[in-house]
């Protein structure tokens, strides 16, 4: 699995949180950080799209995080990852930059996910996604890490 994200994570506290989940993931989640684009918003999105596509294996199952994407429960996300993994294609998650994702990336996406209608900082989304992938694996394994809180 690979996470392609625009922007470089520099804050030590944020890095520690991502590392907490990366160490637990099997298969491992590789993070590829891309430089923020420069220029007009359209130019930034176009350049970032080129870099994103270059960082994803050609046959990858592309999952983009987008505000217009589907919201899933953690158990549904776990089931989706299992279904996507069963396709035999590498999974590639994408988090765009501050300007959002270029239409070419949205069109190329095999799945679109949203963490809700609130706007989240991109570095926090990286942490949340890493944790949710770990949670998905725990759910699939029947590990008690995930507790729904329901009787």
């Amino acid at each position: 699995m690979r996470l392609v994200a625009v922007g470089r994570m520099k804050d030590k506290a944020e890095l520690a949180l991502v590392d907490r989940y990366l160490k637990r993931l099997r298969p491992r989640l590789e993070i590829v950080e891309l430089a923020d684009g420069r220029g007009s918003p359209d130019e930034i999105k176009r350049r970032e799209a080129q870099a994103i596509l270059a960082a994803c294996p050609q046959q990858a199952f592309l999952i983009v995080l987008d505000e217009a994407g589907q919201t899933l429960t953690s158990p549904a996300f776990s089931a989706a990852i299992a279904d996507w993994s069963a396709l035999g294609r590498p999974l590639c998650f994408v988090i765009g930059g501050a300007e959002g994702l270029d239409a070419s990336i949205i069109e190329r996406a095999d799945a679109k996910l949203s963490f809700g209608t609130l706007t989240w900082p991109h570095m926090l989304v990286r942490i949340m996604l890493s944790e949710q992938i770990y949670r998905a694996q725990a759910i699939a394994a029947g590990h008690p890490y995930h507790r729904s809180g329901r009787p």
Side-chain angles (χ1 to χ4, degrees):
M1 290 187 296
R2 181 178 289 180
L3 167 58
V4 177
V6 175
R8 304 219 188 274
M9 187 172 267
K10 298 173 191 147
D11 183 271
K12 289 181 183 180
E14 292 169 343
L15 285 165
L17 284 170
V18 167
D19 284 343
R20 172 187 293 179
Y21 299 106
L22 292 182
K23 290 176 184 173
R24 301 176 185 178
L25 289 173
R26 301 289 177 269
R28 187 175 166 271
L29 177 67
E30 173 192 7
I31 296 181
V32 177
E33 294 183 315
L34 304 174
D36 293 305
R38 300 198 186 275
S40 71
D42 287 340
E43 183 65 17
I44 290 170
K45 286 169 46 172
R46 186 186 66 74
R47 287 183 185 176
E48 289 175 352
Q50 290 173 341
I52 289 167
L53 290 175
C56 295
Q58 201 161 17
Q59 296 82 17
F61 188 91
L62 200 66
I63 306 123
V64 298
L65 276 84
D66 183 71
E67 63 186 8
Q70 183 179 17
T71 56
L72 298 174
T73 63
S74 293
F77 183 55
S78 178
I81 286 180
D83 291 345
W84 299 333
S85 296
L87 297 172
R89 296 165 60 192
L91 302 184
C92 193
F93 294 89
V94 173
I95 300 172
E99 298 299 335
L101 292 167
D102 188 70
S104 64
I105 299 295
I106 300 293
E107 290 166 10
R108 163 63 181 85
D110 296 293
K112 300 170 199 74
L113 295 178
S114 172
F115 282 155
T117 55
L118 296 173
T119 301
W120 296 100
H122 291 182
M123 297 307 166
L124 186 54
V125 170
R126 219 181 279 194
I127 296 164
M128 292 164 50
L129 179 61
S130 300
E131 190 280 336
Q132 283 299 302
I133 293 170
Y134 173 70
R135 182 177 298 273
Q137 290 181 352
I139 290 168
H143 189 278
Y145 176 80
H146 175 73
R147 295 176 190 90
S148 67
R150 295 184 189 153

